[in-house]
Amino acid sequence: MQQKNTLIDIGANLAHHRFHADLDAVIDRARQAGVEHIIVTGTSERASRDAHALTQNYAGYLSSTAGVHPHEAKNWNAGCAKTIEQLAGRQGVVAIGECGLDYNRMFSTEAQQLLCFEAQLQLAVRVQKPVFLHEREAHDAFFALLKQYRSQLKGAVVHCFTGNTAEIREYLDLDCHIGVTGWVCDERRGDDLRQALKFLPKEKLMIETDAPFLLPRNLPVKPQEGRNEPMYLPVVLEAVASILGISATALAQQVRLNTGQFFNLPLAA
Ligand SMILES: [Zn+2]
């Protein structure tokens, strides 16, 4: 039987209510698919607490991020900032985020988003943890703010990158890592992304599912309810490997190395 590649999912929303009923089974399936570690995304004060609590239940297998998504920026206040900073010091919390700007649906105003994003960049500098970044339809403002802080940040990954070649080049100029999801498998809208990835050095690549969202569209059998899970991470790896024209196995080894170093994960040798 073919050896499975060992993969790390850098972004799964396992604290989401769609995983409440069967998280054990989801984790079992992920392990069987070769996923050796999952970083649970924190998207709000509460979700960041929940994500961290999960890491305690599945110690060693799960890590988490602590941060406030731009959609939630309207809820950013002193109490929330304090919670995120406290979480950042806990074991198993490996990055600040997801944070950034999202001008697609504007669930928070531009001013709220900018304030919330900058505060988290400053926090990440203080605690010297990398940032897990979200940007949608806000590249210029996002880039300008990130650039101001980049030299002081321990690391920066632009998660769920869906942009074009010009954008990826700018992020690479800032020495960012790039997180790629199942968006890359979407034949309707992934063209810019597939083109851009050809310019990505494989040392800068990390992969993620963004589960329960962004189910890869090319799955032969679709799961009920269309829920994405970390077990589908190999599909993302295969898609990127075919774009870059290298073997999935070689790419998996490189991506694992990138990810372990970036998040300082306790991986088996
Ligand atoms: Zn995101």
Side-chain angles (χ1 to χ4, degrees):
M1 206 181 111
Q2 204 193 344
Q3 189 79 29
K4 286 197 181 77
N5 291 309
T6 306
L7 306 175
I8 302 162
D9 190 345
I10 67 158
N13 299 277
L14 297 186
H16 195 276
H17 64 85
R18 289 176 76 188
F19 291 114
H20 283 182
D22 64 343
L23 187 58
D24 281 343
V26 168
I27 300 243
D28 276 349
R29 287 193 287 270
R31 286 186 200 269
Q32 282 164 30
V35 178
E36 77 171 320
H37 196 88
I38 301 172
I39 301 174
V40 184
T41 311
T43 53
S44 66
E45 181 176 4
R46 182 173 166 196
S48 296
R49 268 207 200 99
D50 292 349
H52 176 255
L54 286 181
T55 68
Q56 305 307 295
N57 298 345
Y58 299 88
Y61 191 69
L62 300 183
S63 303
S64 70
T65 69
V68 174
H69 188 286
H71 286 339
E72 300 280 336
K74 55 182 174 289
N75 299 318
W76 182 263
N77 57 34
C80 174
K82 195 170 164 206
T83 301
I84 300 298
E85 186 142 2
Q86 281 171 346
L87 284 170
R90 302 264 176 86
Q91 196 178 11
V93 177
V94 294
I96 301 304
E98 58 181 305
C99 58
L101 301 176
D102 190 321
Y103 294 171
N104 176 257
R105 287 196 280 173
M106 299 308 280
F107 290 143
S108 295
T109 66
E110 275 190 33
Q112 288 166 335
Q113 292 190 40
L114 286 163
L115 186 136
C116 178
F117 181 27
E118 186 161 18
Q120 291 178 87
L121 290 170
Q122 291 168 348
L123 194 161
V125 169
R126 273 201 305 282
V127 302
Q128 279 300 294
K129 293 257 161 113
V131 280
F132 186 85
L133 299 167
H134 173 107
E135 180 268 313
R136 181 73 60 85
E137 293 181 25
H139 176 78
D140 292 351
F142 174 90
F143 185 79
L145 200 48
L146 177 60
K147 192 173 179 183
Q148 272 185 49
Y149 289 92
R150 179 63 189 96
S151 65
Q152 304 169 68
L153 289 165
K154 183 133 186 162
V157 57
V158 180
H159 118 94
C160 192
F161 177 77
T162 57
N164 59 32
T165 302
E167 290 168 3
I168 209 168
R169 285 191 155 146
E170 285 199 301
Y171 290 138
L172 291 171
D173 283 346
L174 282 193
D175 197 27
C176 294
H177 284 68
I178 302 290
V180 175
T181 61
W183 190 284
V184 74
C185 306
D186 189 334
E187 77 288 352
R188 300 166 308 171
R189 58 182 184 178
D191 271 348
D192 273 357
L193 170 61
R194 284 188 289 271
Q195 208 49 44
L197 287 182
K198 293 179 183 161
F199 296 91
L200 178 65
K202 58 187 187 310
E203 293 74 26
K204 290 295 180 189
L205 172 70
M206 297 195 263
I207 56 173
E208 50 178 327
T209 57
D210 206 26
F213 314 113
L214 296 179
L215 182 72
R217 279 177 54 85
N218 59 343
L219 292 181
V221 181
K222 305 257 187 286
Q224 273 188 351
E225 320 292 336
R227 184 183 71 173
N228 197 6
E229 291 186 21
M231 71 178 292
Y232 298 121
L233 191 59
V235 178
V236 178
L237 176 81
E238 300 276 347
V240 180
S242 98
I243 289 165
L244 297 182
I246 57 176
S247 83
T249 303
L251 188 61
Q253 286 167 359
Q254 180 66 52
V255 169
R256 180 178 190 265
L257 191 70
N258 303 343
T259 308
Q261 284 174 349
F262 182 90
F263 290 106
N264 198 18
L265 300 176
L267 303 179

